[in-house]
Amino acid sequence: MLQGINEKLDRIEKKLDRKVTNRFLDISAVSDLTSCSSSTIRRAVARGSLKCSRKVGKLLFLESDVRRWLNG
């Protein structure tokens, strides 16, 4: 019974991984998503390991870039 549940959860997880959206997140949303502090996120930006946009005067991150950074 548990094995069947685990298999279903694995399939659901794989489907969710493929549906990563490309919406923009601000630094507080990235912090919530990653459970990292904003200073950790800013350090990753400064090192160049996390891409962001600064076009509107604040840091904006594509969700797909954040997830790639987490998995990297």
Side-chain angles (χ1 to χ4, degrees), residues 34-58:
T34 62
S35 298
C36 293
S37 69
S38 60
S39 49
T40 299
I41 295 164
R42 289 179 193 279
R43 279 193 302 272
V45 169
R47 281 192 312 264
S49 61
L50 179 58
K51 291 193 256 178
C52 73
S53 171
R54 294 185 176 115
K55 290 184 181 177
V56 294
K58 62 180 184 175

Side-chain angles (χ1 to χ4, degrees), residues 1-3 9 12 21 23 25 29 35 37-39 47 51 53 56 59-60 65 68 71:
M1 170 118 175
L2 287 177
Q3 184 176 2
L9 287 173
I12 291 169
T21 61
R23 63 188 173 127
L25 306 172
S35 298
S37 69
S38 60
S39 49
R47 281 192 312 264
K51 291 193 256 178
S53 171
V56 294
L59 299 178
L60 293 176
D65 289 340
R68 198 172 306 115
N71 294 327

